[in-house]
Every structure is written in structure tokens, then in C-alpha cells.
Amino acid sequence: MPSRRRRLLLGAIGTAISGAAGCLGGSSSETDGTADDDGALALPSVVTRGDLPDGEVRLLASGTATLLNFFTTWCKPCQREMPEFRTLRAAYDADALHMVSITPEVDKTLVREFWTEYEGTWPVVADPALEATERWNANSYPTNLLFDANGEPADGDGPEVRARTFKEFDALVSPLVEES
């Protein structure tokens, strides 16, 4: 496993490269992501072990609350959130709460090692062309977005939430799960 220093350096380089690629633009047909007819975005899964999906993962799931987590492997607050997300994933069935983590990093080996080290138990996808990042203006890490079962922002104004602990996430997610 690479050292944390190497991970920080490679993660920063990968993010810079993906940022430059995203600045160049391009349609979804020119990138790794796909968009359905209804505009829902799907991105390629990075970790496919166990129950984690292989192939494309739809970011917004119809009929269920959705939590999107934008992260990088070198981000300290992102690392601190991982146990909170594991607890959240354990508290809610995947049919009740759709969770997806999204990274702009291009080094899939580093992302897989991070997912193993921090025991990620929900899908993680790659967004090297910054399609999801730009769609939801997730320009800092971590950025957490919460949507209701209709794909609308959870608070009515915008999907971004400032929650960082399980208790804070649970207080926001529980009413959405009860509604769906």
C-alpha cells in the first residue's frame, strides 16, 4: 500500500489532471459517464468486491432518498467521515437510502486502497471528467448532497448538507426515508 505522502501527491496530481480535463468540456458520450433519457447520471464503479456493483452506478435512484458524497483520498475531513458513513449505511437498507461516493481521482488503485483501508460498504464511482461535480457544483471536499425520493433537494433550497456525524446525517435522512 502506498504511503500517505504518496497518496496525497498522486491524489493531488490526479485531481489536477481531472480538473483540467473537466475544463476542456465534452459531452457525456465522450466521457466515462452516461446519462439516461431522463437526465439521470451514471458513472463507472471503482470498487466491485462483495456486494458492491460492477459497471455503471446511477447516482440518483428513483423512489428512494439519495446521499451523494464527493470526496478525495487525500482529504482529511473525507477520511474522518468514513466511519460515520459506514454507520449510516448499516442503519438504512440500500432500498431505503441510496448512497454513492464520487471521486474525481483518476488513479483507481489509490481509490480501491482507500476504500479497503476505510472499509467502504457502499458504491464508489469515478468522475474524472467532472460530470457530476459540475452538475451539482461540488467544488470542495467533502461535499455531501441529499435528495428526497423524487430527486429533489432534501431541504427544498439545495441538496448540500453540512452534516458530518452519524447523528446529524440520521436526523436529515430519517424523515426522507419515512416519506418514501
Side-chain angles (χ1 to χ4, degrees):
M1 177 176 328
S3 70
R4 289 202 186 278
R5 179 174 257 166
R6 179 173 177 246
R7 184 180 334 177
L8 289 172
L9 175 63
L10 291 174
I13 291 168
T15 301
I17 290 169
S18 18
C23 290
L24 296 174
S27 69
S28 62
S29 63
E30 298 172 300
T31 63
D32 289 334
T34 60
D36 294 337
D37 291 338
D38 65 358
L41 183 61
L43 294 171
S45 182
V46 178
V47 179
T48 59
R49 63 176 157 68
D51 292 334
L52 298 177
D54 190 10
E56 300 283 317
V57 175
R58 190 174 173 143
L59 299 188
L60 291 180
S62 181
T64 185
T66 298
L67 174 64
L68 300 180
N69 161 249
F70 291 82
F71 82 102
T72 61
T73 60
W74 47 265
C75 163
K76 293 294 183 194
C78 300
Q79 295 166 5
R80 286 191 295 271
E81 281 185 339
M82 289 298 288
E84 306 299 331
F85 285 136
R86 275 196 317 277
T87 303
L88 190 64
R89 173 71 294 148
Y92 292 95
D93 185 70
D95 292 333
L97 176 63
H98 180 66
M99 288 176 59
V100 181
S101 287
I102 304 160
T103 184
E105 294 181 57
V106 295
D107 188 334
K108 291 181 180 180
T109 300
L110 283 178
V111 175
R112 287 182 189 114
E113 289 170 351
F114 177 89
W115 221 242
T116 297
E117 181 179 345
Y118 288 95
E119 301 172 7
T121 57
W122 58 96
V124 57
V125 298
D127 186 24
L130 305 177
E131 289 178 274
T133 301
E134 289 176 1
R135 179 177 288 190
W136 288 296
N137 197 28
N139 50 17
S140 63
Y141 302 105
T143 294
N144 297 309
L145 309 178
L146 189 58
F147 299 89
D148 67 16
N150 298 317
E152 299 296 322
D155 72 1
D157 293 328
E160 187 167 358
V161 294
R162 299 283 179 202
R164 294 288 181 250
T165 67
F166 167 73
K167 187 175 180 179
E168 292 169 336
F169 280 116
D170 188 45
L172 296 168
V173 168
S174 181
L176 296 176
V177 168
E178 290 172 10
E179 287 175 9
S180 58

